[in-house]
Amino acid sequence: MLSAKMLEALNKQVNWELYSSYFYLSMSSYFESANLKGFARWMNAQAKEELFHAMKFYDYIVSRGGRVILAQIDTPPAEWPSALKVFEDVYAHEKKVTGLIHGLMDMAKEEKDHPTEIMLQWFVNEQVEEEENAEAAVSKLKMVSGDKGLGLMYMLDQEMGQRVFTPPSSKK
Ligand code: FEO
C-alpha cells in the first residue's frame, strides 16, 4: 500500500507526464504548420512516449492499490520564434522532469518504499536518455542555424555517420 504522501506525489507525476505529452504535441503541431515534417514526426513520437510514461505511473498506482485522480492539464505554449528555441524548451523541460523524478526517488527512499524506488529507477535511466537527446538536438540546431560552413559540416557528418563495418567475406 502506498502512503498518502507518496500516492499524492505519484498522482502529480501522472499529470506532469500528461502535460509533457500535450507540450510535445503542441510542438508537433507548430512544426506541421511550418512544414517541417521531420521535426513534427520527432515531436509526435515524443508525445506518444510521454503518454506511455503517464500510463506507466497510472498502472503502477493501480497495482499498489492506489486511486488515480486525474487533474486539469495546463495549456502548453503554441508558438516559438525558431526551431532552436523549441528544442531549448525541450531540454529545459526534460531537466525539470529529471528534478521531479529525483524528488520522487528521495521521497520513496525516505519512506523505505522499495517497490516505488525500483519502479522509479526506470525513469531515472530514461531521463538520462531524454536529456541527452534534447541536448544533442540543441547543439545540432545551433550548428545549422549559425555559420553556413558548420551547417554543411553537420550534413557531411550525417552522411559519413551512415558508414557501417561489413566484415570481409572469408572466401577469397
Ligand atoms: Fe516523461 Fe520526457 O519525461
Side-chain angles (χ1 to χ4, degrees):
M1 189 81 181
L2 292 162
S3 73
K5 189 176 157 192
M6 197 77 242
L7 175 61
E8 190 189 346
L10 291 172
N11 259 310
K12 274 196 183 139
Q13 194 62 31
V14 171
N15 186 268
W16 260 101
E17 301 293 346
L18 289 173
Y19 172 74
S20 300
S21 184
Y22 225 37
F23 184 65
Y24 291 126
L25 198 57
S26 185
M27 288 171 167
S28 183
S29 162
Y30 162 78
F31 281 127
E32 291 284 5
S33 74
N35 215 19
L36 287 165
K37 299 283 182 191
F39 286 125
R41 191 186 163 94
W42 194 96
M43 289 298 173
N44 193 290
Q46 188 71 16
K48 287 183 179 129
E49 197 170 289
E50 297 300 347
L51 206 51
F52 172 80
H53 293 172
M55 288 312 297
K56 209 168 162 70
F57 278 108
Y58 180 109
D59 291 340
Y60 178 73
I61 293 169
V62 171
S63 75
R64 295 290 310 277
R67 173 81 205 273
V68 174
I69 301 289
L70 296 175
Q72 185 171 330
I73 303 166
D74 288 343
T75 304
E79 298 295 340
W80 288 266
S82 64
L84 173 59
K85 182 68 173 84
V86 177
F87 278 91
E88 282 173 342
D89 284 3
V90 170
Y91 187 33
H93 181 78
E94 289 304 334
K95 282 196 280 189
K96 164 92 187 162
V97 173
T98 299
L100 295 171
I101 297 289
H102 291 181
L104 288 172
M105 182 63 109
D106 291 344
M107 190 185 289
K109 280 182 191 290
E110 272 165 32
E111 299 204 350
K112 297 188 172 31
D113 182 345
H114 299 156
T116 301
E117 271 186 54
I118 292 165
M119 182 276 295
L120 287 169
Q121 190 59 55
W122 184 89
F123 283 96
V124 170
N125 296 337
E126 176 74 0
Q127 283 310 120
V128 172
E129 201 182 298
E130 295 270 75
E131 283 194 31
E132 187 185 3
N133 291 341
E135 194 181 12
V138 167
S139 72
K140 283 174 192 167
L141 274 160
K142 276 186 180 160
M143 236 187 254
V144 295
S145 55
D147 177 270
K148 246 192 174 160
L150 275 179
L152 290 170
M153 182 71 83
Y154 170 68
M155 282 189 276
L156 186 58
D157 181 63
Q158 291 291 101
E159 197 182 308
M160 300 288 275
Q162 302 297 318
R163 182 180 171 181
V164 286
F165 173 65
T166 312
S169 161
S170 54
K171 286 186 197 161
K172 295 221 169 142

